[in-house]
Amino acid sequence: MTEVAGRIEIYGQCEIVMANTTSLPTLQDVAAAAGVSTATVSRVINFPAQVAPATRAKVEATIAQLGYSPHFGARVMAARRTNTVGAIIPTMENAVFARGLQAFQDELSAHGYTMLVASTGYSAANEAEQVKALVARGADALLLIGHKRDQAIYDFLAAQGIPTIITWAFDPSSGRPSVGFDNAAAMRDMARQVIDMGHRQLALISAETASNDRAMERYLGIQAAMQDKGLPEENLLFIETSYGIEEGAIAFKQAMSASNPPSAVFCGNDVLAVGALRQARDSGIHVPDDVSIIGFDDIELAQVAYPPLTTVHVPHREMGRLAAAALIGWLKDGTPPNTVELLAYPVMRSTLAPKD
Amino acid sequence: MTEVAGRIEIYGQCEIVMANTTSLPTLQDVAAAAGVSTATVSRVINFPAQVAPATRAKVEATIAQLGYSPHFGARVMAARRTNTVGAIIPTMENAVFARGLQAFQDELSAHGYTMLVASTGYSAANEAEQVKALVARGADALLLIGHKRDQAIYDFLAAQGIPTIITWAFDPSSGRPSVGFDNAAAMRDMARQVIDMGHRQLALISAETASNDRAMERYLGIQAAMQDKGLPEENLLFIETSYGIEEGAIAFKQAMSASNPPSAVFCGNDVLAVGALRQARDSGIHVPDDVSIIGFDDIELAQVAYPPLTTVHVPHREMGRLAAAALIGWLKDGTPPNTVELLAYPVMRSTLAPKD
DNA sequence: TTGTAAGCGTTATCAC
DNA sequence: GTGATAACGCTTACAA
């Protein structure tokens, strides 16, 4: 593997001629040029049906001729909404969020909304800041990941009257509108199948659970399954690490060098699982003959990993799309949407096999 | 592989109490409560240093007590800028864009800007629409991918006075500020090495070149290398397909069933390459002994593919970060930034081997 | 169907 | 340092 340091070359100054930014045409200009009132021009833009065809045609021609486009700030100020919706996610580098976000944006866009994005890097403090930033930037509504955050944030959003939807989690007891899935139940279902296959010594390589309720729920799901099946808690080796392929690899190595190594290694997400898979290959450990590896999320990576990864399928796109639809409805009706539970379910590929 | 249809359950109406949205406190309210003028409150918010400490403390206390936060639209209207920057990309589902976008947003966020995102789904018509949408939503500046688009779009942006930076491409002759890399040169460098290894019969599985100048450039890069090395054009089998693992697999199958099958298959991106790799495995074709496969982008997938994929490394994050920095500087100084070329270079892993 | 005119909540320019 | 006050460009009753 050959890698050279990125070289940067600077080229000469570009010559871009920007418009005379002092004088974009205004509604008034259009009205004057078309010989109508500003109200009529405004109507042509917002409620064309209310304007006589002849007048409308005249105004539209003037708009085109002058290259007029409405001033955003003035519009927001007068109409008291931005048609902009914010999304705050841990990071777009995680494919699950990128995928969900794309679907969220597609749906918003189809309904005339624009999406503002902020990311937290999985930091709770950061999230609080980003919530304020997006609200200050005029987000009419917000999408958040998971339920767990300071109550002050919820209070702030309620005080500002910002409709907010929770995704990636499901907890009807919270009383907050959400579109998500039950992380604990999904992982529990998978763990039951694994235990039924004869696995008794288990490990979980988890994302950090401190500020990530989804990771915690998945952990609890495995514990629940173990309890159901009568396995003692000690039979689960719990390893917490940060997000990344390398991190998954290191944690896997650690798990396998335990005094009582697991025959099945659960991973909190597919990226960690793929890291574990690579480490197994590098260590000459055969998957699934020597050890089973189980992921979570079912991203593209899972299908093309070798062997293809057994994982829990999460309907990321559907979640993003429905979250957008819910917010759009909320903004329109003024009434909070119902909470929606989506199903996440095991997908059996080739990294899980019965124990002996 | 077991998959069940996603089940959706609807739960009871959530009871969210939204604030009396008719009465958020305004600057005036704060001024009245603190016993100062609106101008002073505005200064406390925007230029705290200009206000006497005692006054400032009093005003800040009032702001906190009333839970005041500035109205976005009014602010935009008066200040004539939104501190919002738009990014228009093909899709976030492509990891290269997700990665670049994350870096772009991080840098923006660190400087007090917020990011608006729109996506085109690789459609030129869509892009024109999104440009207008983001400008209408008050984007102060824009990031675009690649140079190729209707001149009308550039004219519109110039007329509106919207600083715009081009990324993912490098063409100093365009005269437009950009932060990118030379797609043709990067692919040419890789192709030269491949040809030097003795490969004579080549194939390229390319993304669609019609509305994607990066894909076209990569194609031209291979052609240039072939010409340098004296290989006739006919020795390159060109297959164009859309983005996706499955698409790569299908195209690979097609390439290998040609009357004169290639010994090296270039792919326009890593996702296509991973699809090709999977198809090779499924067909019992050994990589790189039977055929070499070369990707482009160096996303995570490339490292964990089996065998690890030889590809062209693209500094996506650096590109996003520098693009943000360039726009921020442009907005601040009012002068367009210099064009920056980043280096994309071959990364030799395990899917490329000398021909016999 | 169209026009008039009153805000909308800031920022910024003046005086003081 | 601080206070009046005039924009800023649009939407939306209400009137005609």
Side-chain angles (χ1 to χ4, degrees):
Chain A
M1 178 163 144
T2 312
E3 293 212 5
V4 303
R7 174 172 44 98
I8 301 183
E9 296 176 8
I10 309 288
Y11 284 75
Q13 174 80 33
C14 296
E15 311 200 10
I16 290 287
V17 181
M18 294 304 326
N20 214 340
T21 161
T22 52
S23 61
L24 288 178
T26 70
L27 233 210
Q28 294 237 28
D29 297 334
V30 175
V36 299
S37 72
T38 58
T40 298
V41 180
S42 177
R43 282 188 207 105
V44 168
I45 293 167
N46 299 299
F47 311 99
Q50 290 182 22
V51 181
T55 318
R56 194 198 313 163
K58 187 172 55 179
V59 172
E60 278 166 347
T62 313
I63 288 177
Q65 192 201 327
L66 264 51
Y68 167 79
S69 75
H71 180 97
F72 176 69
R75 205 165 199 198
V76 169
M77 177 131 187
R80 329 191 61 67
R81 63 192 145 60
T82 59
N83 285 331
T84 296
V85 172
I88 301 177
I89 60 169
T91 170
M92 281 167 267
E93 291 217 22
N94 186 329
V96 300
F97 297 122
R99 200 195 267 184
L101 208 59
Q102 180 64 51
F104 185 69
Q105 192 249 312
D106 285 345
E107 185 76 6
L108 287 180
S109 184
H111 291 265
Y113 288 86
T114 307
M115 180 178 75
L116 280 169
V117 178
S119 59
T120 66
Y122 292 96
S123 141
N126 237 332
E127 193 192 39
E129 207 171 294
Q130 302 292 7
V131 166
K132 283 192 186 139
L134 291 201
V135 171
R137 286 299 148 59
D140 284 340
L142 235 46
L143 170 144
L144 298 176
I145 305 288
H147 283 282
K148 189 185 177 187
R149 56 182 55 78
D150 216 82
Q151 179 61 33
I153 297 184
Y154 290 117
D155 293 345
F156 170 77
L157 289 169
Q160 298 285 321
I162 308 288
T164 302
I165 196 136
I166 307 294
T167 59
W168 250 265
F170 177 71
D171 172 14
S173 72
S174 72
R176 293 179 208 106
S178 67
V179 174
F181 61 98
D182 188 331
N183 285 271
M187 190 61 122
R188 189 198 57 213
D189 291 350
M190 176 60 100
R192 281 182 181 154
Q193 296 201 33
V194 170
I195 296 169
D196 284 345
M197 282 180 166
H199 293 277
R200 290 291 171 269
Q201 207 63 40
L202 312 176
L204 168 61
I205 300 175
S206 171
E208 277 151 13
T209 53
S211 63
N212 182 333
D213 54 353
R214 288 89 60 209
M216 178 54 95
E217 292 281 317
R218 293 172 197 179
Y219 179 26
L220 295 176
I222 294 183
Q223 290 189 319
M226 292 175 74
Q227 193 160 23
D228 291 352
K229 303 290 180 182
L231 278 190
E233 258 186 56
E234 313 85 70
N235 283 29
L236 176 65
L237 173 63
F238 178 71
I239 300 178
E240 205 173 299
T241 185
S242 47
Y243 181 81
I245 290 179
E246 204 52 42
E247 284 72 10
I250 293 169
F252 180 79
K253 201 171 182 177
Q254 188 186 334
M256 297 312 286
S257 61
S259 59
N260 216 339
S263 67
V265 177
F266 292 87
C267 296
N269 58 62
D270 286 346
V271 168
L272 290 173
V274 164
L277 213 51
R278 200 199 64 194
Q279 181 62 42
R281 190 160 58 220
D282 292 352
S283 317
I285 299 175
H286 198 266
V287 177
D289 297 346
D290 301 333
V291 64
S292 289
I293 293 180
I294 300 102
F296 201 111
D297 281 340
D298 195 19
I299 59 177
E300 222 158 41
L301 217 50
Q303 301 178 41
V304 298
Y306 186 72
L309 187 67
T310 289
T311 188
V312 176
H313 178 80
V314 175
H316 301 291
R317 294 194 188 84
E318 191 66 357
M319 204 156 50
R321 196 179 66 72
L322 291 177
L327 280 181
I328 291 167
W330 192 346
L331 285 170
K332 207 161 84 179
D333 304 345
T335 65
N338 295 323
T339 273
V340 174
E341 178 178 17
L342 299 177
L343 190 66
Y345 50 85
V347 177
M348 297 303 167
R349 295 208 178 92
S350 313
T351 58
L352 168 62
K355 167 71 174 154
D356 297 340
Chain B
M1 176 165 145
T2 313
E3 294 209 6
V4 303
R7 174 174 44 102
I8 300 184
E9 296 176 8
I10 308 287
Y11 285 74
Q13 175 82 31
C14 295
E15 310 200 9
I16 289 287
V17 181
M18 296 301 324
N20 212 340
T21 164
T22 53
S23 62
L24 287 178
T26 70
L27 236 208
Q28 295 237 28
D29 296 334
V30 175
V36 297
S37 73
T38 59
T40 297
V41 180
S42 177
R43 281 189 208 104
V44 168
I45 293 167
N46 298 299
F47 313 97
Q50 290 180 22
V51 182
T55 318
R56 195 199 312 163
K58 188 173 55 180
V59 172
E60 278 167 348
T62 313
I63 288 177
Q65 193 203 324
L66 265 52
Y68 166 79
S69 76
H71 180 97
F72 176 69
R75 208 166 196 195
V76 169
M77 173 128 196
R80 327 190 60 64
R81 64 195 143 58
T82 59
N83 286 330
T84 296
V85 172
I88 301 176
I89 60 169
T91 170
M92 281 168 267
E93 292 217 24
N94 186 330
V96 300
F97 297 122
R99 200 196 266 185
L101 209 59
Q102 180 62 50
F104 185 69
Q105 193 249 313
D106 285 344
E107 184 75 7
L108 287 179
S109 183
H111 290 266
Y113 288 86
T114 307
M115 181 178 76
L116 281 168
V117 178
S119 59
T120 66
Y122 293 95
S123 140
N126 239 329
E127 192 191 39
E129 208 171 292
Q130 301 293 8
V131 166
K132 283 195 185 135
L134 292 201
V135 170
R137 285 313 187 288
D140 285 340
L142 235 46
L143 170 144
L144 298 176
I145 305 287
H147 283 281
K148 188 182 177 188
R149 56 182 55 77
D150 216 82
Q151 179 61 34
I153 297 185
Y154 289 117
D155 293 345
F156 171 76
L157 290 169
Q160 298 285 320
I162 307 288
T164 302
I165 196 135
I166 307 296
T167 58
W168 251 265
F170 176 70
D171 172 13
S173 73
S174 72
R176 294 181 206 105
S178 66
V179 173
F181 62 97
D182 188 330
N183 285 272
M187 190 59 122
R188 190 199 56 214
D189 292 350
M190 176 60 101
R192 280 181 182 155
Q193 297 199 34
V194 170
I195 297 170
D196 284 345
M197 283 180 164
H199 293 277
R200 291 290 171 271
Q201 207 61 40
L202 312 176
L204 168 61
I205 299 175
S206 171
E208 276 151 15
T209 53
S211 63
N212 182 334
D213 53 354
R214 290 88 62 207
M216 179 51 97
E217 292 281 317
R218 293 173 196 179
Y219 178 27
L220 295 176
I222 294 183
Q223 290 189 317
M226 292 175 73
Q227 193 159 25
D228 293 351
K229 304 289 181 183
L231 280 189
E233 258 185 57
E234 312 86 70
N235 283 28
L236 176 65
L237 173 62
F238 178 72
I239 300 178
E240 206 172 297
T241 185
S242 48
Y243 182 81
I245 290 179
E246 204 52 43
E247 284 73 8
I250 294 168
F252 180 80
K253 199 170 184 179
Q254 188 186 335
M256 297 312 286
S257 62
S259 60
N260 216 337
S263 67
V265 177
F266 292 87
C267 296
N269 58 61
D270 286 347
V271 168
L272 290 173
V274 164
L277 213 50
R278 199 199 65 195
Q279 181 62 42
R281 188 161 59 221
D282 292 353
S283 319
I285 298 175
H286 198 267
V287 177
D289 298 346
D290 300 334
V291 64
S292 290
I293 293 180
I294 301 103
F296 201 112
D297 282 340
D298 195 19
I299 58 176
E300 221 158 42
L301 218 51
Q303 300 178 41
V304 299
Y306 186 73
L309 187 67
T310 289
T311 188
V312 176
H313 177 80
V314 175
H316 302 291
R317 294 194 188 85
E318 191 66 358
M319 203 155 52
R321 197 179 67 71
L322 291 177
L327 279 181
I328 291 167
W330 192 348
L331 286 170
K332 208 161 85 180
D333 305 345
T335 64
N338 295 323
T339 273
V340 173
E341 178 178 17
L342 298 175
L343 191 65
Y345 50 84
V347 177
M348 296 302 166
R349 295 206 178 92
S350 314
T351 57
L352 168 61
K355 167 71 174 155
D356 299 339

